[in-house]
């Protein structure tokens, strides 16, 4: 599955439309966020049946508040629209571990 860009306008709908959602919060100025993008895409391809979203934390304050984003990059997993867990990390293993909480 590919990574979908999401904004405040469609974030809630995407959470409702997908049982399992993995969100990467980023900012354009964040170097670690850019470096993590290919890893996030690879994780999306390896995890069928989950929606992977890219959310710009600076332009989507409502989506950012839902996960209490503190650092960037920041990752959150949702099940049935409810926040399950979060992690602020740049390591693929930490994000993979977070994703496993949805299984």
């Amino acid at each position: 599955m590919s990574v979908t860009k999401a904004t405040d306008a469609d974030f809630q709908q995407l959470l409702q439309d997908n049982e399992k959602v993995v969100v990467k919060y980023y900012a354009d100025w964040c170097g670690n966020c850019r470096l993590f993008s290919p890893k996030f895409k690879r994780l999306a391809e390896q995890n069928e049946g989950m929606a992977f979203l890219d959310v710009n934390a600076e332009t989507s304050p409502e989506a950012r508040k839902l996960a209490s984003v503190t650092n960037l990059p920041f990752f959150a997993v949702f099940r049935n629209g409810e926040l399950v867990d979060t992690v602020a990390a740049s390591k693929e293993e930490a994000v993979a571990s977070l994703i496993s909480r949805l299984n």
Side-chain angles (χ1 to χ4, degrees), residues 37-62:
S37 286
K39 297 174 192 170
F40 195 60
K41 187 173 183 192
R42 185 170 56 247
L43 287 167
E45 290 165 358
Q46 294 169 353
N47 290 279
E48 289 296 316
M50 295 182 191
F52 280 71
L53 307 180
D54 257 345
V55 174
N56 186 322
E58 293 190 304
T59 59
S60 298
E62 296 304 315

Side-chain angles (χ1 to χ4, degrees), residues 11 15 23 36 43 45 50-51 61 67 72 77 80 82 92 96 100:
F11 189 73
L15 288 184
V23 184
F36 201 89
L43 287 167
E45 290 165 358
M50 295 182 191
L72 296 174
V77 288
N80 298 319
E82 297 294 318
E92 189 171 351
S100 72

Side-chain angles (χ1 to χ4, degrees), residues 5-60:
K5 292 249 186 232
T7 65
D8 277 352
D10 57 5
F11 189 73
Q12 285 290 352
Q13 190 63 49
L14 287 164
L15 288 184
Q16 290 173 15
D17 291 348
N18 298 280
E19 179 190 353
K20 299 174 181 179
V21 179
V22 182
V23 184
K24 179 184 86 175
Y25 294 92
Y26 71 96
D28 292 334
W29 52 261
C30 173
N32 283 336
C33 299
R34 282 194 302 278
L35 290 173
F36 201 89
S37 286
K39 297 174 192 170
F40 195 60
K41 187 173 183 192
R42 185 170 56 247
L43 287 167
E45 290 165 358
Q46 294 169 353
N47 290 279
E48 289 296 316
M50 295 182 191
F52 280 71
L53 307 180
D54 257 345
V55 174
N56 186 322
E58 293 190 304
T59 59
S60 298

